[in-house]
């Protein structure tokens, strides 16, 4: 007799959590993960003062040097594997490895340092990786409304922009649901286009 459990192996989905230095990537991965998250954080030292701009995040004491990792199970159908990318440009060489096989990405944006979102957005646009922008309101001061953020970041109209709090599990999971729905819409649209294209 065949074991029905062999047919119910959940689909593995890889998602990147990116954004500028201090945007809340490590916090979000740790908050939403159902397992004890893996963090590769090191204490900031005076040696990094010339390479790490702490403007707006002066209280930050640690930084991710490789990645953050977490996992979320969605029913019996899927398991999300979250990979938080390092924010400083000196660690960007790791992104290509982390991005292999990624279904999509979340770009966390901090309105105190909105320009720090551009490298992540450019990276995913160039590689055609679907992404959403999540404006992290963890500091309690939402400086810009969503239309203003969209305009400031020159986002395509179809890129979702949502507000979130990286410290709140429900908020973080809603961001991930938005990403999955965005990827699904893109996939369905591509399939529809392919079916409608004459052979």
């Amino acid at each position: 007799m065949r074991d029905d459990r062999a047919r119910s192996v959940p689909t593995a989905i890889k998602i990147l959590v990116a954004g500028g230095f201090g945007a809340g990537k490590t916090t979000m991965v740790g908050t939403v993960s159902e397992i004890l998250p893996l963090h590769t954080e090191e204490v900031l030292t005076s040696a990094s003062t010339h390479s790490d701009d702490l403007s707006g995040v002066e209280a930050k004491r640690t930084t991710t040097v490789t990645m953050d990792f977490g996992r979320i199970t969605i029913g019996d159908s899927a398991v999300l594997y979250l990979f938080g990318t390092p924010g400083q440009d000196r660690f960007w060489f790791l992104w290509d490895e982390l991005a292999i096989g990624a279904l999509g990405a979340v770009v966390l944006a901090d309105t105190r340092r909105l320009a720090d979102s551009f490298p992540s957005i450019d990276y995913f646009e160039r590689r055609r990786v679907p992404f959403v922008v999540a404006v992290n309101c963890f500091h309690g001061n939402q400086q810009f409304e969503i239309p203003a953020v969209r305009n400031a970041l020159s986002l395509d109209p179809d890129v979702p922009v949502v507000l979130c709090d990286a410290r709140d599990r429900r908020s973080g999971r809603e961001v991930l649901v938005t990403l999955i729905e965005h990827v699904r819409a893109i996939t369905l649209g591509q399939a529809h286009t392919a079916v409608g294209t004459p052979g």
Side-chain angles (χ1 to χ4, degrees):
M1 177 181 293
R2 295 181 60 186
D3 188 348
D4 288 340
R5 290 176 298 179
R7 295 180 299 185
S8 61
V9 175
T11 300
I13 300 173
K14 182 178 184 180
I15 292 175
L16 300 185
V17 180
F21 178 62
K25 301 178 294 295
T26 297
T27 299
M28 180 176 180
V29 171
T31 298
V32 301
S33 179
E34 67 191 16
I35 62 171
L36 184 66
L38 167 68
H39 297 306
T40 57
E41 289 204 309
E42 295 293 339
V43 175
L44 288 169
T45 66
S46 58
S48 68
T49 54
H50 297 296
S51 56
D52 295 331
D53 178 11
L54 295 178
S55 301
V57 289
E58 291 83 0
K60 188 170 175 58
R61 295 290 176 260
T62 60
T63 183
T64 299
V65 296
T66 306
M67 68 172 186
D68 299 307
F69 175 78
R71 185 188 73 198
I72 303 174
T73 301
I74 302 178
D76 297 326
S77 60
V79 177
L80 305 185
Y81 293 100
L82 308 178
F83 291 80
T85 64
Q88 306 97 310
D89 55 3
R90 68 181 186 274
F91 296 126
W92 285 350
F93 68 92
L94 298 168
W95 283 38
D96 288 339
E97 291 294 326
L98 292 175
I100 294 173
L103 182 73
V106 173
V107 176
L108 274 176
D110 182 347
T111 56
R112 299 171 300 179
R113 298 162 57 103
L114 201 55
D116 289 356
S117 304
F118 281 116
S120 301
I121 291 170
D122 290 343
Y123 183 90
F124 297 126
E125 285 181 341
R126 287 197 310 270
R127 287 159 180 77
R128 297 184 179 181
V129 175
F131 67 94
V132 301
V133 172
V135 180
N136 191 0
C137 302
F138 66 100
H139 51 80
N141 183 17
Q142 181 192 338
Q143 298 184 24
F144 304 101
E145 299 294 331
I146 287 178
V149 172
R150 179 182 296 282
N151 184 61
L153 296 177
S154 301
L155 296 172
D156 289 337
D158 62 331
V159 175
V161 180
V162 296
L163 302 177
C164 76
D165 184 337
R167 303 166 301 179
D168 183 82
R169 173 170 288 191
R170 178 177 294 180
S171 180
R173 292 194 172 199
E174 286 175 355
V175 171
L176 296 173
V177 168
T178 299
L179 174 62
I180 297 298
E181 291 176 346
H182 178 53
V183 172
R184 183 172 180 271
I186 291 174
T187 303
L188 290 175
Q190 291 172 343
H192 179 73
T193 301
V195 169
T197 301

